Every structure is written in structure tokens, then in C-alpha cells.
Amino acid sequence: MAAAAAAAPGALGILQAGRAHLVAACCARLGPGWRLSGSWTVPRVDPATWAQGWTPTAGGAAWRRGYSSEVKTEDELRVRYLEEENRGTVVLGINRAYAKNSLSTNLIKMLSKAVDALKSDKKVRTIIVRSEVPGIFCAGADLKERVKMNSSEVGPFVSKVRAVINEIANLPVPTTAAIDGLALGGGLELALACDTRVAASSAKMGLVETKLAIIPGAEGMQRLPRAIGMSLAKELIFSARVLDGQAAKAVGLISHVLEQNQEGDAAYRKALDLAREFLPQGPVAMRVAKLAIKQGMEVDLVTGLAIEEACYAQTIPTKDRLEGLLAFKEKRTPRYKGE
């Protein structure tokens, strides 16, 4: 008994050290320089660093072409920076009509390039992923391209797809998938990487890889159970079942379902409505809220609460927090700058 009692504090110490490590790892994404109250200490971040996003990249500024409503087309992916009431919203539009927006090597490269630039652009407040092709969101992997690959090429390609989808999931601002058509396999995995999903009732969604004697390989096996629960996710994956918009809403796969309109963009219009709800909020608060939820859901409650405390601390020294209080006092709309 004495030995057990002596061991218990040691085990507790290991648990606490493990939690501290998790919190520190999370906070490392916030940037250098800040301290968390209590027994966990991490560097305090400069609010200006927060405004630039979590992981600035050297190549981002060179790729970014200003901030306008002009359509920037690079073959199969269109990146649009919206203006006026939608300023701060960026739309990633997939445009491979001839291949049902399937994920090719070239499209994956362009998605990676676009995401790399967006994650360090402080003018970006929210991102919408949509299709420019009526009736299709993304049909998954480009099987015509895949069939030409030898076995040694398939693994590395799937790893690249997985990496890009993970980059989308790690974008620091809210992301919404607007599903106005078919989203199968990798297409649904792309949507699952977004924070919010909205769909037309006529849309079709499913992880159908088992029909091809493979499994979802771009994080869908992990994200689907976290979105709708393990048992139902297993059922859908084992059966390769395809759901329409109403069924997807019923199981919690999407947040909103809309009757499709004549233009075929009902989900996109709803995504714009959501974006306009996100835009007025404090940019720093939005970034840390996303981080706190994302990281907190992957750990135990105690560690999650520590992560939440760490993230809350980042909002205290910001100019935006003071502006929010002043705007409340003066009964006006706050003017946040992400500082």
C-alpha cells in the first residue's frame, strides 16, 4: 500500500507533465512570447503576430495579388477576394468541369499554394470552399489519373492530398464548405476539413472508397466519426452509402440544408450569409476561438480548459478588446482591426 501511495504522486506528476506538454504544444502555435497563469508557462505573443495568423510563410506575400473583387484564375482553381459587405471573405472555387472537379495532381498543387498564402493574410476573415461547376462539389480523386499511376506513386500522392486537406483544416479563420452538388470520397473529405458545411437538399455526399476496395485516405476516417459519431460513421463507411442533403442534416454531417435554387448555388448563398455573420466579430477572438475548440476537442477536459485559458489570455492585451468595450459604452458598432 505504501509503495502504491508513493507511486500515485509520481503518476499524477506524469499526467500533469503530459497535460503541460499538450498545452505548451498548442500554445507554440500561437507564437513566441507569452505566459499562462498558474503552473503552466509559455511565452507571451505580441498581438501584431496574432493578426498575421498562426503560421506565417515566407512565400505567401509574393503569391498574394492584392485585395479586390477581380477573379484570379489559374486554370482549375479560382481565388476570389470579395468586396463591399463581403470584404474579408475569400472564395476558393474549384473549376474542373470536364473531370467533375476531381482531385488531380495539378489541383492539389494549386490548393496547397492558395492555402499557403491565405493562412498568413491578415485581411482574410473567413473562407468559403465551393464549386464553380453546377451540380458538382468534388467527385473525389481523379481516377483516370490514378489508374495511370503505379503502386509506388499512389502512396505519395495520397499523402499530398492528406497534407493539403490538413492545411485547410488548420487555416486560422472560419471555413465553410458550400456543397451544391456531388461530394464523394475525397470531395467529402475536403468538406469535412472545413469548420462548417452547408448543402443543397439535392446534393449527394458519401465516403464510398470501400466500393473500390480501398478506404478513405484523406482524413475522412478520422473526421467523419468526430462529426457524426463513431457508430454511424462506421455504418456509412462500411456500406459506402450516399446521403442527400436532408439525410446529411439529420445525422449532423452538415449544419444547414437548403432547397436548390434556379441558379444552382443555394448552398453558396447560405455560406455567404454565414460569412456576413462572422465578419463583424473580433478577428483575434475568432482565431483563438477556433484554436481553442479544435485543440480542446482532442484532449481531456482538464487539458482543454487549460488550452481555453491560454487562448483567452491572448485576447486581453489586444486593441480590439478595448475597442469592443468602448463601442459598447458608446452604443455603436465596433471597428475591429485584428490588433
Side-chain angles (χ1 to χ4, degrees), residues 267-278:
Y268 173 59
R269 289 174 185 249
K270 180 61 178 180
L272 283 175
D273 288 342
L274 291 176
R276 284 189 284 267
E277 289 187 55
F278 299 158

Side-chain angles (χ1 to χ4, degrees), residues 140-161:
D142 187 335
L143 296 182
K144 290 183 179 180
E145 181 182 76
R146 180 76 60 87
V147 77
K148 298 176 183 178
M149 296 180 181
N150 58 46
S151 298
S152 63
E153 294 173 315
V154 173
F157 173 72
V158 173
S159 294
K160 290 178 183 177
V161 176

Side-chain angles (χ1 to χ4, degrees), residues 70-86:
E70 177 187 354
V71 176
K72 303 172 181 64
T73 304
E74 188 174 335
D75 299 325
E76 299 167 346
L77 183 69
R78 295 177 177 177
V79 182
R80 290 188 295 144
Y81 291 71
L82 304 187
E83 288 284 7
E84 298 176 353
E85 63 177 345
N86 297 310

Side-chain angles (χ1 to χ4, degrees), residues 33-271:
W34 68 273
R35 175 180 294 271
L36 175 65
S37 61
S39 58
W40 288 306
T41 57
V42 288
R44 175 171 289 279
V45 71
D46 176 10
T49 301
W50 263 109
Q52 297 175 353
W54 299 334
T55 51
T57 56
W63 183 85
R64 193 164 60 247
R65 308 182 199 172
Y67 194 76
S68 71
S69 58
E70 177 187 354
V71 176
K72 303 172 181 64
T73 304
E74 188 174 335
D75 299 325
E76 299 167 346
L77 183 69
R78 295 177 177 177
V79 182
R80 290 188 295 144
Y81 291 71
L82 304 187
E83 288 284 7
E84 298 176 353
E85 63 177 345
N86 297 310
R87 180 183 288 270
T89 300
V90 174
V91 179
L92 297 180
I94 305 174
N95 188 41
R96 295 193 75 215
Y98 66 94
K100 296 184 178 180
N101 283 353
S102 55
L103 300 171
S104 65
T105 301
N106 188 51
L107 179 58
I108 289 299
K109 287 181 180 177
M110 287 189 288
L111 277 169
S112 179
K113 184 179 180 181
V115 170
D116 194 50
L118 292 174
K119 67 186 178 183
S120 57
D121 188 340
K122 66 181 181 179
K123 293 179 180 177
V124 177
R125 302 285 184 88
T126 185
I127 296 168
I128 297 172
V129 181
R130 68 165 302 199
S131 167
E132 303 280 340
V133 181
I136 298 290
F137 178 73
C138 174
D142 187 335
L143 296 182
K144 290 183 179 180
E145 181 182 76
R146 180 76 60 87
V147 77
K148 298 176 183 178
M149 296 180 181
N150 58 46
S151 298
S152 63
E153 294 173 315
V154 173
F157 173 72
V158 173
S159 294
K160 290 178 183 177
V161 176
R162 186 182 299 117
V164 170
I165 286 179
N166 192 53
E167 288 173 8
I168 291 171
N170 288 329
L171 280 165
V173 298
T175 55
T176 302
I179 307 171
D180 274 306
L182 200 66
L184 300 179
L188 181 55
E189 290 175 300
L190 173 61
L192 283 166
C194 295
D195 300 311
T196 307
R197 289 167 294 283
V198 298
S201 57
S202 57
K204 304 293 182 184
M205 292 158 270
L207 296 181
V208 297
E209 285 84 349
T210 52
K211 283 187 175 182
L212 298 174
I214 57 174
I215 64 173
E219 305 187 347
M221 298 279 282
Q222 307 308 312
R223 298 193 192 280
L224 186 62
R226 285 166 168 79
I228 66 173
M230 184 186 298
S231 180
L232 187 53
K234 287 179 178 178
E235 180 181 326
L236 295 180
I237 291 170
F238 294 165
S239 64
R241 188 180 305 156
V242 176
L243 305 178
D244 63 17
Q246 294 290 352
K249 175 65 167 63
V251 300
L253 179 55
I254 60 176
S255 301
H256 302 275
V257 60
L258 302 310
E259 290 298 321
Q260 189 56 282
N261 57 28
Q262 190 172 8
E263 293 77 14
D265 64 353
Y268 173 59
R269 289 174 185 249
K270 180 61 178 180

